[in-house]
Structure formats: C-alpha cells, structure tokens
Amino acid sequence: MSVTSTPTKATRTRAPGGPRKAQGGVRKREFTTRRGLTVAAYLAPAVVFVAVFTYYPMVAGGQMAFRNWKLTDLTDTSWVGLKNFRDVFADPAWGTVLANTAVWVVGSIVPQLVIGFALALWLRRRFPFRGLYQALVFFPWAISGFLIGILFRWLFNSEFGVVNDLLQKAGLIDEPVAWLADPHKAMAAVLVANIWYGVTFFAIMILAALQSIPDELYEAAALDGAGKTRTLFQITIPYIRTTLALTVLLRVIWIFNFPDLIFGMTGGGPDNETHIVTTWMIRITQQGDYGRASALGLLVVAALLVFAVFFLMATREKKGTAA
C-alpha cells in the first residue's frame, strides 16, 4: 500500500511581476515607479502649500535680519550683516524688555502649574455635577487671548473696574488704584490675567494624565499606610512626570510667544514696563523697521531652541527608572 505524503505548507506560485501573496492571504503590491509617481502627485499640493506659505516666509523673514530693510526707504535694502542685532542690544529698552520677559514667563508658569495641578486633582475625584465644573474650568481656553486682555483691561480700570470696587469693599484699599497706568503695578495686572487664562491648559493636560494612573496603585499605597503627601510625591508625580515636563515645555514656548493678552490690556505700556520680547518685536514692526524686527525674531527662535534642548535633556527619562 502506497502512502502519499502531504506537504506542511502549500506551495504558492505567482506570475512574474504579479502581486505577492503574504501570510494570511493578504496580497502585497510591489512598489513600482508608477505607484511612486502617483504618491508624489498626491503629496505635491500639500508640499507646495507648506513651502510657499511656511518655509518661504521663514527664509525671507530670516534674511531681512541681515539687511537694511525699512518701509521708509525700500530703495536701499543692502546687506548690513549683524548691524540689526547690534541695534537690538544697544537699544535702551532692551534690558527692561528682557527682564519683563523673564518675569512674564516665570511669574506665569509657576502659579499656572500649581493651581492647574490642584484643579486636576480635585476634578479627578467623583462628586455631583463634576462634568459641569469641568466645563466651567475649561471654558476660558476657548476664548481668544486678545479678548481676554480687553476683558481684564475693563476689570482693572481705575474708574469703574470691578477689581478696585471689590478691594475697596473688602477694606484692602482706600481709593481706586490705576493698575494699568502705574509702571510698578501694570506687570502684576497682566500676570494675574495670564495666570487665570493659562490655568485651564495645565488642568486639562494634567487631568488627562491623572486618569491614566491605575487605581490599584492608590489602593496598594493606602494598604501600606501612605498618606496623601507621600502618595502625591511617590506615585502621582513620578507616574505623570513625562506629561508634566512636556506640558511645562509647551507652555513656556507658548507664553514666550504670547503678545495677545498684553496688547489687549496695556499695549506694552506704560513706559515699556509690560513689553516682552514678542510685543516689542511687533512694535518695531509697526514702526517699519523690518530688519531689526527680523533680527529680534531670530533671537527668539534661537533662545527657544536652546531652552527646549536643555530642558528635554534635563527632564528626559533615565533607563531603568519608572515613568
């Protein structure tokens, strides 16, 4: 009696140049020149759009920083090298603008992070009408920054502002304070507005990260007798530290490039006391000196790139450590 052996794998044949049949019966098409040209044709409009409306303006604006580019005299756009950069550093307002920028970023980030973290921890708990409270907390983020600036300009108005009225009724001040006209108080007013506006961003990002923490970790910590403070610093913060680092990085870049609110409230005044680098750059642009404004823009890009690199290196995950 003859025994017929059955092969373990079926022999697959294909015609030369035909499609291959991969495991599971899925046909895998070969990449051909025709397919490559088809893909390129579909990508071409997007590439052209990005090149024309993004990269070309960047390159054109960057080269203005090295030219004598002023709207008052467009007949002379000669190459001036680093002159525009020297003019920026030699401007009497440069020191004030730089100090204001540091105060603006640090004074906004720290309270926003602390208050946003506290709000996220509170909103993570289950309580009645939690969805309504979340909507109220997240609502400011849907409003334009310039509109927020106009709103707070009215709130801090020295004659009929709500802030002065509340402080007088509470007995904290005897007479209305000219918040936005006083060089020593204007920056505090815009910081209050920016803190109120930016807390929402931290609350949204941190709440999303907190909801990814397994409840089993908190249950195990409770069984071990860990208190709230120990749980916060040994479980919650270590678990979401990557999200915290990226959120802080994004927010620093955002605040550094956020002139909307300041223009809505003070326009950089009084006496340049609320000007930051980006609002000052816009002011120089309005004066027609595109060369100096472009130089300042390149300095902003360079500063943010350096900050981002060092911040990511300082906060990167080490091998063998928990996320």
Side-chain angles (χ1 to χ4, degrees), residues 249-315:
L249 175 61
L250 290 174
R251 194 65 186 133
V252 167
I253 296 174
W254 201 319
I255 292 175
F256 201 98
N257 291 285
F258 187 52
D260 313 38
L261 191 145
I262 293 179
F263 261 104
M265 289 186 68
T266 64
D271 195 24
N272 295 327
E273 288 300 324
T274 57
H275 262 312
I276 60 173
V277 173
T278 47
T279 59
W280 194 42
M281 179 176 63
I282 295 174
R283 182 66 69 196
I284 294 174
T285 305
Q286 292 174 341
Q287 294 171 355
D289 194 344
Y290 280 28
R292 194 153 60 103
S294 297
L296 191 56
L298 290 183
L299 291 175
V300 169
V301 172
L304 290 178
L305 283 176
V306 171
F307 168 77
V309 170
F310 279 97
F311 184 84
L312 291 176
M313 290 177 61
T315 58

